[in-house]
């Protein structure tokens, strides 16, 4: 779907450098709107922390605004996070339909989002178990199942050992993963990486404390 979107866009607005830069700017603006809408779905706060971290993340500003699926995939999965929270707070048919469509769109735009949708589903499933809310839990699991079905056309390309995947393969170790994480959060200046690590620890501590008080 994403290559089809790019093809349609270039047919309408041309494939010049300026036209493609406008596309990237539109994706960046959409991400800001997605953060805002997601924050409204979660509560009444503003996405101040999210916007600050986004501004520090030069990796996203470089790669997320290109004609690849990274930026738009991020937009969709952020909206999915907000809609899942809205479904937990106040379920409605409109919210459920939107969550289904955007979850599938997130996976179709960027197949790696299937992992994030899976993580979100596990999180809300635990909440539903604590609340003994079998109905909502079934809805979330059904959304995950639909996303999994939508991934099936690409499954063979990722599991058959095709030539392109062999070229892209590299040894997977904890050290290599941590190196890539630091590169992603600290590129081009490694001083940014500790900011993300500190933010992660602070948010995890705050969430744990909040859960303790609620329980």
């Amino acid at each position: 779907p994403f290559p089809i979107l790019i093809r349609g866009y270039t047919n309408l607005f041309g494939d010049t450098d300026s036209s493609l830069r406008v596309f990237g700017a539109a994706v960046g603006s959409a991400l800001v709107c997605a953060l805002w809408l997601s924050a409204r779905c979660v509560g009444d706060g503003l996405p101040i922390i999210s916007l600050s971290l986004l501004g520090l993340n030069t990796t996203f500003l470089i790669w997320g605004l290109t004609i690849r699926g990274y930026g738009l995939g991020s937009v969709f999965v952020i909206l999915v996070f907000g809609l899942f929270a809205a479904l937990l707070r106040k379920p409605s048919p409109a919210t459920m339909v939107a969550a289904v469509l955007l979850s599938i769109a997130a996976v179709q735009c960027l197949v790696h989002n299937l992992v994030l949708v899976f993580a979100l589903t596990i999180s809300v499933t635990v909440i539903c178990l604590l609340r003994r809310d079998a109905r909502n839990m079934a809805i979330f699991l059904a959304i995950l199942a639909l996303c999994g079905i939508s991934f099936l056309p690409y499954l063979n390309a990722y599991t058959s050992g095709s030539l392109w995947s062999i070229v892209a393969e590299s040894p997977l170790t904890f050290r290599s993963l941590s190196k890539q994480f630091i590169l992603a959060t600290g590129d081009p200046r490694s001083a940014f990486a500790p900011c993300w690590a500190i933010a992660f620890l602070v948010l995890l501590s705050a969430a744990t404390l909040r859960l303790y008080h609620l329980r």
Side-chain angles (χ1 to χ4, degrees):
F2 187 77
I4 294 173
L5 173 65
I6 293 295
R7 179 69 67 181
Y9 177 84
T10 53
N11 286 340
L12 287 173
F13 302 104
D15 58 359
T16 63
D17 181 70
S18 299
S19 174
L20 297 177
R21 287 182 184 277
V22 169
F23 177 85
V27 171
S29 300
L31 185 76
V32 173
C33 294
L35 287 170
W36 201 282
L37 290 172
S38 184
R40 298 296 294 179
C41 289
V42 173
D44 297 328
L46 301 177
I48 296 174
I49 297 176
S50 300
L51 292 173
S52 301
L53 292 176
L54 181 66
L56 289 172
N57 191 349
T58 51
T59 302
F60 179 83
L61 297 177
I62 294 171
W63 294 103
L65 306 184
T66 61
I67 50 171
R68 303 289 294 272
Y70 304 128
L72 201 58
S74 299
V75 171
F76 286 141
V77 82
I78 287 170
L79 289 173
V80 169
F81 173 83
L83 288 170
F84 275 25
L87 271 177
L88 283 173
R89 297 183 69 193
K90 191 176 181 181
S92 70
T95 305
M96 181 179 68
V97 171
V100 171
L101 294 178
L102 284 173
S103 297
I104 295 175
V107 174
Q108 289 297 305
C109 185
L110 187 65
V111 292
H112 307 84
N113 276 338
L114 183 61
V115 178
L116 296 179
V117 174
F118 175 78
L120 288 173
T121 304
I122 294 299
S123 300
V124 294
T125 298
V126 171
I127 295 172
C128 290
L129 286 172
L130 292 174
R131 292 181 174 181
R132 298 180 182 178
D133 187 354
R135 179 178 175 275
N136 256 354
M137 184 172 68
I139 291 173
F140 290 120
L141 292 176
I143 292 174
L144 178 62
L146 290 173
C147 290
I149 292 171
S150 75
F151 174 74
L152 290 179
Y154 315 110
L155 183 62
N156 184 59
Y158 279 84
T159 59
S160 62
S162 54
L163 293 178
W164 73 267
S165 66
I166 293 175
V167 171
E169 284 178 0
S170 61
L172 187 63
T173 63
F174 178 79
R175 184 178 179 181
S176 65
L177 286 175
S178 60
K179 182 178 179 181
Q180 289 300 317
F181 178 77
I182 293 173
L183 178 64
T185 55
D187 187 33
R189 294 185 179 275
S190 58
F192 286 152
C195 295
W196 284 86
I198 293 170
F200 172 76
L201 293 174
V202 170
L203 292 173
L204 181 63
S205 301
T208 304
L209 186 62
R210 179 65 173 164
L211 181 62
Y212 172 78
H213 286 305
L214 288 175
R215 293 296 293 169

